[in-house]
């Protein structure tokens, strides 16, 4: 009869052999973009995400969220874009200490339609930014009022 301890040892040994043999990927396909999440302005975050040139407001990018968020710790947002060639859809809060709140990579197999919850420090314009494969960035903007800040304020 095999004990639980022996089974764990065998499992760890197998994982070690698999890791040394390169069976596990060294890094995820879309690694964490630290510079984008540390950006303090919308334009800097877009550049860090691979956007080039000026942002262009577009009716083909939509952003839905509440007019007033009673709790800034959980503000629901929905962003979408039917534009072809979109490689990334991001949510940004202009007055947060770090502007970028979420970024979703889009492929041909994924529709650019995402919902998430973000933290907001205070009342601020919120952006849904769609970045195309050629680097052009399109956005939709909405002002969301926050009565209780979600970043400790």
């Amino acid at each position: 009869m095999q004990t639980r301890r022996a089974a764990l040892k065998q499992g760890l040994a197998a994982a070690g052999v698999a890791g040394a043999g390169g069976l596990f990927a060294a890094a995820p396909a879309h690694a964490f973009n630290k510079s984008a999440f540390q950006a303090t302005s919308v334009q800097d975050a877009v550049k860090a995400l691979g956007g080039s040139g000026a942002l262009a407001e577009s009716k083909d990018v939509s952003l839905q969220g509440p007019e007033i968020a009673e709790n800034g710790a959980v503000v629901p947002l929905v962003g979408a874009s039917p534009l072809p060639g979109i490689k990334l859809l991001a949510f940004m809060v202009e007055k947060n200490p770090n502007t970028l709140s979420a970024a979703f990579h889009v492929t041909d197999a994924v529709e650019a339609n995402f919902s998430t919850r973000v933290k907001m420090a205070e009342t601020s314009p919120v952006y849904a930014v769609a970045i195309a494969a050629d680097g052009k960035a399109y956005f939709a903007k909405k002002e969301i009022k926050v009565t209780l800040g979600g970043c400790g304020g």
Side-chain angles (χ1 to χ4, degrees):
M1 180 173 153
Q2 188 174 23
T3 64
R4 181 177 173 194
R5 181 173 296 208
L8 285 172
K9 282 182 179 179
Q10 286 178 341
L12 289 173
V17 169
L23 291 178
F24 299 127
H30 298 290
F32 177 72
N33 188 337
K34 188 174 181 178
S35 62
F37 280 99
Q38 289 180 336
T40 56
S41 72
V42 172
Q43 191 66 38
D44 289 345
V46 168
K47 283 182 183 175
L49 290 171
S52 60
L55 287 163
E57 191 162 4
S58 172
K59 63 179 179 167
D60 290 326
V61 178
S62 65
L63 174 63
Q64 297 174 0
E67 297 292 326
I68 299 173
E70 292 183 17
N71 184 357
V74 285
V75 180
L77 299 176
V78 177
S81 176
L83 290 169
I86 296 298
K87 70 172 187 175
L88 191 133
L89 186 71
F91 294 98
M92 300 181 193
V93 181
E94 187 175 291
K95 292 186 180 176
N96 271 2
N98 299 95
T99 304
L100 179 61
S101 294
F104 299 93
H105 293 273
V106 179
T107 65
D108 292 337
V110 177
E111 182 180 345
N113 187 345
F114 299 97
S115 62
T116 189
R117 295 176 186 264
V118 300
K119 282 187 175 185
M120 292 182 65
E122 60 184 295
T123 299
S124 172
V126 177
Y127 293 79
V129 179
I131 299 176
D134 63 0
K136 292 182 181 175
Y138 306 95
F139 74 93
K141 182 170 81 171
K142 179 175 186 164
E143 177 90 8
I144 296 179
K145 295 178 182 171
V146 175
T147 55
L148 177 63
C151 298

